[in-house]
């Protein structure tokens, strides 16, 4: 019976935690100030149908606080992220865009983070080499401005609101290596050959014993 | 070689894991010990062990047990090895939700056929070679994960790896050559449950191996491929151990089987007919599809679910997912035990009610899992769901031995295949489309479990009743003898082929419940059930 009490108690605690959690208002993407930052991302290779190679090609990213930004006094840091374009989110619910910021999974790849200096009014630019764990897909760049509590207050992105312009494609590394392939074949062959050797050997021994 | 009479399907005796210990080959109720034999455990006249000593590795009996369940568990590890790594694999191979779902379906479909073939292989080569062949020939399929470059390759490789789940058959077959039928139920049930644990172990093992390889400097997309070498090596190691340390029979290897000049006494076609025309067979196929089947489906989706829904790290999701599969350690035997306890009070009706209650409870907890919004509630719901589903597996095979005596092997095989089929179907409907989110899929799977468990109410034994109906009062048709002897026609009865069934019927009277068990039994007819 003790286990029943424990289970019931844990259930009560869970419900309590759930209700407390639900009491805090969720921060929404739609509340953020749009276009507070002007962001551009230029791939190292451009052209019709060009696909950038992860681990090799670069993006040249610039960001600048827009003159129309109203929440600028709250800015503490700028976080630049690589985000999935809608084409790469189809049939992939783990990349879904959600309005609640903590649930949103459309911008999982961190590019860099910069401390915000209000005195610096000029555009900041830097080069970013695409990491080797970036998956194949279509992307754009977004920069979030966060306040001192690490909550997003504003953002800017390199594409338009519908996420249809200025997108670039990336091809992931395959992860395959020749050495891996060779090792794989060697172990497979070993397995089959070892089995056959044992089998033939035992059959031979059985035959010898039978003929005795 | 579970049954010296060598009937087709007799090799599958003991597969169910909950068979009553009716000695269908031994005439006397008490199993005499062969005192001339020099084994670590007391043995019977066939030198099969009469005692199950869990922590011993003594040759040959307990050593066989450990080799057998570990190789079966290894196959579970490799079949479900991809599941906890899907969050990485899906990015490397650019998979869609459909691709992931299809790969999950593929992983459980292959063994539907391979399990059917494995019985024949064990009959031909013996269980030791059956096991070793399967385990070592499927090692290349595990290693070939390093070549996979797209969704098609991933699905194909998971399909091929899935074939090795047929070690279930060699495992149970091998046990029945080594352990007396009095205890084969417990032995096989433990081996099956511990083997299924591999589905839980892999959720823990693979993320840890992946993490270690990543920390050694490999990129994510190479690390997961390297991680597959671990189950591959396990296959090779277990194969070699089985070949070197194992033996086919208590007295030695296959050569002893040469003395078996007995031809199969029963015809495969007839047995198949009686299996297929018994409606209870198909109800159990459906039921097992929604106890074992949902267990296999959950093994495939649960780690990814926790990773995505609750934003956990890969190995944290793995730990939680592992506790689902690891519950098999005690949950499956506990289900069989619960069924036995219900039977002491209410007989077969108790067993049917126990199965319905346990499996429906599992389904309801699955619905709760799908609807759980916080991590803690999800974990609690998942654990309760695992207990329900796995205990239901144990409770199912506590009843299956009574459905038929003549066709037990085939019915067990069909039920087992139903498990895999149910798993494939569930993954196809609920986890392969964008129509349902994974949490919705889990909720609907729970609803489907409850719905597909209802047919248990239709199972009626004339001699024992069903969930809602009492046994038939007809003096002829309401007896156990009539039920089991009805599987033989007049010519076969004249040849006395049905004697085994009659003995079984006599011993199964305890399924009538307490009023039958407490009735005085004639001294010369001591039932030898446990």
């Amino acid at each position: 019976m003790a286990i029943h009490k424990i289970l019931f108690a844990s259930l009560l605690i869970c419900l309590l935690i759930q209700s407390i959690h639900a009491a805090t208002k969720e921060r929404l993407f739609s509340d953020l100030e749009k276009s507070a930052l002007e962001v551009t991302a230029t791939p190292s290779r451009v052209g019709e149908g060009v696909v950038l190679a992860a681990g090799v090609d670069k993006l040249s990213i610039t960001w600048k606080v827009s003159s129309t930004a109203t929440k600028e006094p709250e800015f503490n840091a700028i976080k630049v992220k690589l985000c999935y374009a809608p084409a790469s989110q189809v049939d992939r619910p783990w990349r879904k865009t959600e309005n609640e910021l903590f649930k949103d999974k459309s911008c999982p790849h961190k590019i860099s983070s910069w401390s915000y200096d209000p005195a610096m009014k000029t555009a900041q630019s830097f080069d970013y080499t695409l990491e080797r764990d970036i998956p194949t897909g279509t992307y754009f760049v977004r920069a979030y401005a966060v306040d001192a509590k690490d909550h997003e207050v504003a953002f800017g992105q390199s594409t338009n609101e519908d996420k249809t312009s200025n997108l670039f494609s990336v091809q992931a590394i395959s992860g395959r290596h020749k050495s891996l392939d060779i090792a794989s074949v060697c172990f497979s062959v070993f397995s089959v050959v070892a089995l056959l050797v044992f089998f033939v050997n035992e059959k031979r021994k059985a035959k010898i014993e039978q003929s005795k | 070689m579970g049954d010296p009479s060598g009937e087709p399907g007799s090799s599958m005796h003991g597969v169910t894991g909950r068979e009553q210990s009716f000695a269908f080959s031994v005439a006397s109720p008490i199993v005499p010990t062969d005192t001339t034999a020099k084994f670590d455990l007391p043995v019977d006249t066939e030198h099969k062990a009469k005692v199950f000593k869990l922590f011993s590795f003594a040759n040959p009996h307990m050593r066989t047990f450990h080799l057998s369940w570990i190789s079966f568990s290894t196959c579970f590890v490799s079949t479900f090895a991809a599941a906890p790594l899907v969050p990485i694999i899906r990015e490397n191979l650019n998979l869609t939700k459909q691709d992931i779902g299809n790969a999950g379906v593929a992983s459980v479909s292959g063994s539907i056929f391979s399990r059917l073939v494995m019985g024949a292989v064990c009959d031909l080569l013996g269980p030791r070679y059956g096991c070793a062949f399967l385990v070592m020939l499927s090692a290349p399929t595990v290693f070939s994960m390093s070549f996979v470059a797209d969704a098609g390759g991933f699905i194909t490789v998971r399909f091929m790896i899935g074939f090795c789940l047929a070690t279930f058959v060699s495992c149970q077959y091998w046990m029945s050559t080594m352990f007396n039928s009095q205890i084969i139920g417990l032995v096989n049930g433990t081996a099956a449950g511990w083997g299924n644990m591999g589905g839980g172990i892999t959720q823990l093992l693979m993320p840890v191996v992946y993490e270690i390889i990543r920390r050694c400097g490999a990129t994510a997309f190479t690390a997961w491929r390297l991680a597959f070498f671990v189950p591959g090596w396990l296959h090779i190691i277990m194969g070699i151990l089985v070949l070197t340390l194992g033996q086919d029979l208590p007295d030695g290897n296959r050569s002893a089987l040469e003395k078996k000049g007995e031809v199969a006494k029963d015809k495969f076609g007839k047995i198949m007919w009686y299996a297929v025309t018994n409606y209870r067979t198909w109800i159990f196929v459906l039921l097992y599809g929604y106890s074992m089947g949902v267990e296999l489906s959950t093994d495939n989706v649960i780690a990814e679910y926790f990773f995505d829904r609750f934003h956990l790290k890969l190995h944290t999701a793995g730990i939680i997912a592992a506790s689902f599969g690891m519950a098999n350690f005690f949950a499956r035997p506990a289900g069989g035990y619960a069924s036995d306890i219900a039977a002491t009070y209410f007989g077969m009706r108790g067993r049917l009610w126990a199965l319905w209650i346990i499996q429906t409870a599992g389904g309801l907890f699955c619905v709760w899992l799908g609807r759980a919004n916080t991590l803690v509630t999800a974990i609690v719901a998942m654990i309760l769901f695992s207990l329900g589903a796995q205990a239901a597996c144990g409770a199912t095979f506590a009843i299956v031995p009574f459905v038929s005596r003549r066709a037990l092997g085939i019915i067990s095989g069909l039920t087992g295949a139903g498990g895999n089929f149910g798993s494939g179907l569930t993954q196809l409907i609920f986890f392969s489309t964008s129509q349902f989110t994974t949490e919705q899929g889990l909720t609907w799977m729970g609803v489907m479990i409850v719905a597909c468990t209802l047919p248990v109410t239709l199972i009626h034994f004339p001699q024992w009743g069903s969930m809602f109906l009492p046994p038939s009062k007809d003096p002829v048709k309401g007896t156990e003898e009539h039920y089991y002897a009805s599987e033989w026609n007049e010519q076969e009865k004249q040849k006395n082929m049905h004697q085994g069934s009659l003995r079984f019927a006599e011993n199964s009277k305890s399924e009538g419940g307490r009023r039958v068990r407490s009735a005085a039994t004639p001294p010369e007819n001591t039932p030898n059930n446990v």
Side-chain angles (χ1 to χ4, degrees):
Chain A
M1 278 302 144
I3 194 103
H4 291 181
K5 286 191 193 137
I6 293 170
L7 280 175
F8 187 62
S10 51
L11 182 63
L12 278 179
I13 293 171
C14 299
L15 292 172
L16 211 61
I17 295 172
Q18 210 166 338
S19 59
I20 292 171
H21 191 79
T24 55
K25 184 176 174 295
E26 302 307 349
R27 294 177 297 117
L28 300 174
F29 182 74
S30 45
D31 290 340
L32 300 184
E33 189 184 353
K34 289 197 267 256
S35 311
L37 299 161
E38 286 161 14
V39 182
T40 63
T42 318
S44 52
R45 292 185 296 130
V46 285
E48 193 64 37
V50 158
V51 177
L52 305 171
V56 172
D57 285 319
K58 296 194 193 15
L59 291 174
S60 178
I61 301 173
T62 64
W63 62 267
K64 173 168 159 266
V65 177
S66 160
S67 45
T68 55
T70 53
K71 290 195 186 165
E72 198 253 335
E74 294 173 49
F75 290 5
N76 187 268
I78 307 292
K79 291 191 177 166
V80 187
K81 293 191 176 174
L82 198 62
C83 306
Y84 292 111
S88 287
Q89 291 175 300
V90 172
D91 286 333
R92 292 178 176 85
W94 59 88
R95 294 180 183 171
K96 204 158 163 228
T97 305
E98 298 269 6
N99 202 10
E100 284 141 316
L101 282 168
F102 83 98
K103 273 194 192 170
D104 181 48
K105 298 194 207 148
S106 57
C107 297
H109 305 287
K110 293 189 183 57
I111 294 179
S112 64
S113 191
W114 304 81
S115 193
Y116 180 64
D117 181 2
M120 195 92 77
K121 292 288 180 200
T122 53
Q124 302 290 311
S125 75
F126 61 98
D127 276 347
Y128 165 69
T129 309
L130 291 159
E131 299 276 353
R132 283 192 296 164
D133 61 356
I134 303 287
T136 303
T138 326
Y139 297 86
F140 61 93
V141 172
R142 180 181 286 167
Y144 285 106
V146 297
D147 64 12
K149 283 185 282 173
D150 206 26
H151 290 173
E152 293 86 349
V153 290
F155 75 94
Q157 56 194 30
S158 65
T159 182
N160 58 13
E161 193 154 341
D162 291 330
K163 301 185 229 172
T164 49
S165 67
N166 288 336
L167 304 171
F168 50 90
S169 296
V170 177
Q171 174 67 39
I173 60 165
S174 74
R176 291 180 57 184
H177 284 277
K178 244 212 175 76
S179 50
L180 213 63
D181 293 345
I182 294 173
S184 175
V185 169
C186 285
F187 282 115
S188 306
V189 167
F190 171 73
S191 184
V192 176
V193 167
L195 176 68
L196 291 174
V197 163
F198 266 104
F199 189 65
V200 166
N201 227 8
E202 275 205 22
K203 286 281 172 242
R204 231 173 8 101
K205 277 196 202 146
K207 262 203 189 122
I208 294 172
E209 279 217 20
Q210 259 195 339
S211 60
K212 276 188 186 159
Chain B
M1 265 281 282
D3 187 333
S5 59
E7 303 162 3
S10 67
S11 64
M12 292 291 278
H13 284 306
V15 159
T16 63
R18 284 307 309 167
E19 281 174 301
Q20 295 289 337
S21 52
F22 310 124
F24 35 75
S25 54
V26 175
S28 75
I30 302 160
V31 178
T33 307
D34 183 344
T35 46
T36 61
K38 285 196 170 37
F39 291 108
D40 277 357
L41 301 171
V43 296
D44 63 13
T45 50
E46 289 176 287
H47 293 173
K48 294 186 187 177
K50 290 169 60 186
V51 165
F52 181 46
K53 216 163 148 194
L54 199 49
F55 296 109
S56 149
F57 282 85
N59 205 15
H61 308 98
M62 289 316 301
R63 190 182 290 185
T64 300
F65 171 76
H66 291 295
L67 283 174
S68 204
W69 81 258
I70 296 178
S71 20
F72 179 37
S73 199
T74 302
C75 292
F76 251 90
V77 168
S78 54
T79 303
F80 293 102
L85 295 180
V86 160
I88 313 295
I89 302 176
R90 67 189 179 195
E91 307 294 18
N92 189 187
L93 306 179
N94 206 17
L95 303 177
T96 61
K97 185 165 190 210
Q98 286 82 335
D99 296 327
I100 298 172
N102 289 338
V105 174
S107 67
V108 296
S109 313
S111 64
I112 296 177
F113 309 105
S114 64
R115 283 183 181 197
L116 299 174
V117 170
M118 193 54 163
V121 170
C122 285
D123 280 328
L124 284 173
L125 297 175
R128 184 172 68 105
Y129 272 122
C131 179
F133 260 82
L134 187 54
V135 158
M136 291 187 88
L137 290 181
S138 53
T141 62
V142 181
F143 286 117
S144 59
M145 267 296 189
S146 53
F147 296 105
V148 163
D150 58 14
F154 184 58
I155 294 172
T156 310
V157 171
R158 282 207 78 180
F159 178 68
M160 294 196 302
I161 297 178
F163 279 110
C164 70
L165 283 183
T167 33
F168 171 69
V169 176
S170 65
C171 172
Q172 310 274 284
Y173 187 123
W174 208 0
M175 293 304 147
S176 61
T177 68
M178 290 284 175
F179 291 89
N180 182 272
S181 47
Q182 296 269 25
I183 50 169
I184 193 64
L186 178 64
V187 174
N188 268 336
T190 312
W194 289 9
N196 283 13
M197 265 201 322
I201 294 172
T202 195
Q203 316 271 1
L204 208 55
L205 177 72
M206 296 304 284
V208 167
V209 170
Y210 165 78
E211 205 45 53
I212 293 174
I213 297 174
R214 278 276 326 258
R215 299 216 176 166
C216 290
T219 54
F221 294 168
T222 307
W224 75 265
R225 295 167 189 276
L226 257 175
F228 267 86
F229 275 60
V230 171
W233 290 331
L234 284 176
H235 272 240
I236 299 181
I237 293 170
M238 282 320 298
I240 293 179
L241 283 178
V242 160
L243 286 171
T244 51
L245 297 178
Q247 54 190 65
D248 293 304
L249 297 164
D251 293 320
N253 279 326
R254 265 309 288 221
S255 43
L257 280 176
E258 304 309 291
K259 75 171 189 250
K260 176 185 130 185
E262 290 153 11
V263 174
K265 281 198 198 135
D266 205 347
K267 287 207 199 96
F268 179 76
K270 287 229 144 227
I271 298 180
M272 194 67 191
W273 175 255
Y274 285 112
V276 161
T277 52
N278 191 332
Y279 74 94
R280 300 171 193 84
T281 305
W282 300 107
I283 297 182
F284 277 110
V285 168
L286 178 66
L287 243 56
Y288 203 57
Y290 284 90
S291 54
M292 170 55 84
V294 297
E295 183 188 333
L296 298 179
S297 304
T298 311
D299 275 337
N300 261 333
V301 306
I302 197 75
E304 191 190 356
Y305 175 67
F306 275 99
F307 180 86
D308 286 333
R309 184 109 195 267
F310 300 104
H311 317 286
L312 301 173
K313 289 208 204 66
L314 202 66
H315 54 265
T316 316
I319 294 171
I320 297 171
S323 53
F324 179 83
M326 300 287 268
N328 259 307
F329 184 77
F330 53 85
R332 188 170 171 139
Y337 186 64
S339 183
D340 284 346
I341 295 192
T344 53
Y345 291 104
F346 306 108
M348 176 54 69
R349 297 181 79 180
R351 288 192 192 274
L352 292 167
W353 271 101
L355 174 58
W356 183 81
I357 290 171
I358 294 172
Q359 193 157 327
T360 305
L364 293 172
F365 288 127
C366 185
V367 172
W368 188 24
L369 172 63
R371 301 187 66 88
N373 283 320
T374 60
L375 181 62
V376 180
T377 23
I379 294 176
V380 171
M382 183 199 73
I383 291 179
L384 292 171
F385 166 44
S386 75
L387 295 178
Q390 290 157 14
C393 291
T396 304
F397 275 103
I399 304 178
V400 165
F402 297 100
V403 171
S404 160
R405 164 62 178 82
R406 190 175 186 185
L408 172 60
I410 295 189
I411 293 179
S412 306
L414 283 171
T415 306
N420 283 56
F421 181 75
S423 177
L425 186 69
T426 312
Q427 288 182 79
L428 199 62
I429 302 175
F430 298 123
F431 299 108
S432 304
T433 67
S434 294
Q435 220 186 337
F436 301 111
T437 60
T438 310
E439 53 262 35
Q440 285 171 336
L442 286 168
T443 309
W444 285 114
M445 184 167 80
V447 172
M448 200 155 174
I449 294 172
V450 174
C452 291
T453 309
L454 288 174
V456 126
T457 50
L458 300 173
I459 295 185
H460 180 81
F461 289 93
Q463 68 274 31
W464 299 316
S466 64
M467 276 172 75
F468 297 114
L469 298 170
S472 160
K473 293 208 173 34
D474 189 310
V476 171
K477 291 203 187 134
T479 61
E480 287 82 355
E481 282 81 7
H482 178 85
Y483 179 81
Y484 290 110
S486 64
E487 294 181 315
W488 306 87
N489 62 29
E490 276 314 308
Q491 298 155 305
E492 290 160 340
K493 283 186 189 169
Q494 279 180 355
K495 290 189 221 168
N496 267 332
M497 289 171 81
H498 65 305
Q499 286 303 323
S501 290
L502 287 181
R503 275 198 302 271
F504 182 81
E506 180 60 42
N507 286 325
S508 70
K509 285 199 199 292
S510 56
E511 295 304 309
R514 212 190 240 172
R515 56 173 177 82
V516 173
R517 288 179 187 217
S518 60
T521 49
E524 66 268 21
N525 254 358
T526 323
N528 54 2
N529 56 316
V530 173

